[in-house]
Amino acid sequence: MSGDPSKQYWYNINTGAVEFGYVSPAPERVGPFETKLEAEHALETLRANSAKWAEEDAAND
């Protein structure tokens, strides 16, 4: 990921809206994402990463 995060896309977890730049307070947003499309799929990305990390943790136990 490159670029200025204030000029990238964020997903607002309270509203479900994609925002460009620092629109909402930090606790309400996840990102940054390079594209609007990536931000629109933020929840799927978070779920996939969480599952992957859980599998890795289980394998290390």
Side-chain angles (χ1 to χ4, degrees), residues 45-58:
T45 301
L46 293 172
R47 284 186 194 107
N49 287 343
S50 180
K52 177 181 142 198
W53 297 327
E55 288 175 15
E56 289 172 357
D57 285 347

Side-chain angles (χ1 to χ4, degrees), residues 26-58:
E28 296 177 10
R29 57 182 153 81
V30 294
F33 298 94
E34 293 277 335
T35 68
K36 183 177 180 183
L37 184 62
E38 288 176 351
E40 288 172 347
H41 294 280
L43 294 181
E44 291 95 343
T45 301
L46 293 172
R47 284 186 194 107
N49 287 343
S50 180
K52 177 181 142 198
W53 297 327
E55 288 175 15
E56 289 172 357
D57 285 347

Side-chain angles (χ1 to χ4, degrees), residues 1 9-11 29-33:
M1 190 173 301
Y9 294 93
W10 298 81
Y11 180 82
R29 57 182 153 81
V30 294
F33 298 94

